[in-house]
Amino acid sequence: MAAYLTKEGFEKKMEELKELEAQRPIIKQAIAEARDKGDLSENAEYDAAKEAQGMLEMKIAKLKELVASARIIDDSKLNTNEVQLLNKVTIKNVKNGMQMTYTIVTESEADLKAFKISSNTPIAKALMGHKVGDVVQVQAPVGVMDFEIIEIGI
């Protein structure tokens, strides 16, 4: 299954892959040093280094699979007629008037601190396909909330 990424998101994943691959010689060295300490059957350092190597290789494999199947979204082809992936959406809580702006991104690029929410979240799912002025209902832990779409941008 293809993963959809922005150009920025793809570049971040490639940088992360490069950083992980740079750790390989460090872990290889730790394994060699632990092996030099003697009996491997009771060598906790060796076991820990081998486990770290396994985890690192698993992360590298997952990232390689992600970038190999990634489809880069061309944000020049985005429109702002209705909410879609990569749109920056300003919404207003109908009950209290509070406004917030989120960018709807793929799951692998979600970052709440940067106000980037995954398209799989209840709020993003409710907003998708709607236009400015529409009021959407979102099922939240505190109950159903109504949000009015104020602005759709890129």
Side-chain angles (χ1 to χ4, degrees):
M1 185 174 106
Y4 292 92
L5 296 172
T6 60
K7 186 173 180 358
E8 174 189 357
F10 182 78
E11 288 169 1
K12 279 184 181 175
K13 295 297 179 190
M14 291 301 289
E15 186 61 37
E16 185 180 345
L17 181 59
K18 193 168 25 170
E19 288 171 11
L20 289 174
E21 287 178 333
Q23 292 177 26
R24 280 176 165 159
I26 297 164
I27 290 181
K28 189 176 179 182
Q29 180 64 34
I31 291 171
E33 287 174 11
R35 191 180 306 124
D36 290 344
K37 292 183 178 172
D39 185 9
L40 297 181
S41 65
E42 294 182 17
N43 189 330
E45 284 180 53
Y46 179 78
D47 291 341
K50 287 298 279 182
E51 180 153 337
Q53 181 184 42
M55 296 295 287
L56 178 69
E57 291 304 325
M58 186 177 72
K59 285 180 185 176
I60 289 171
K62 276 184 133 176
L63 260 177
K64 281 186 172 184
E65 185 179 323
L66 176 75
V67 297
S69 67
R71 300 216 175 173
I72 298 179
I73 301 167
D74 183 356
D75 54 8
S76 70
K77 292 187 168 61
L78 296 178
N79 73 56
T80 56
N81 297 336
E82 60 184 37
V83 178
Q84 61 183 9
L85 198 61
L86 297 187
N87 281 149
K88 186 177 275 194
V89 185
T90 301
I91 56 175
K92 178 174 78 175
N93 183 321
V94 173
K95 188 174 183 178
N96 65 17
M98 189 172 128
Q99 286 192 19
M100 53 214 105
T101 302
Y102 296 109
T103 302
I104 299 175
V105 296
T106 62
E107 192 170 346
S108 64
E109 294 182 74
D111 179 1
L112 200 51
K113 290 178 190 161
F115 300 98
K116 293 180 176 184
I117 60 171
S118 166
S119 58
N120 294 337
T121 61
I123 193 165
K125 284 180 179 179
L127 293 170
M128 294 292 230
H130 288 276
K131 299 176 188 304
V132 171
D134 287 355
V135 174
V136 299
Q137 291 191 325
V138 177
Q139 182 63 49
V142 295
V144 176
M145 300 176 72
D146 293 329
F147 292 101
E148 180 184 352
I149 299 171
I150 304 298
E151 184 179 355
I152 302 170
I154 296 176

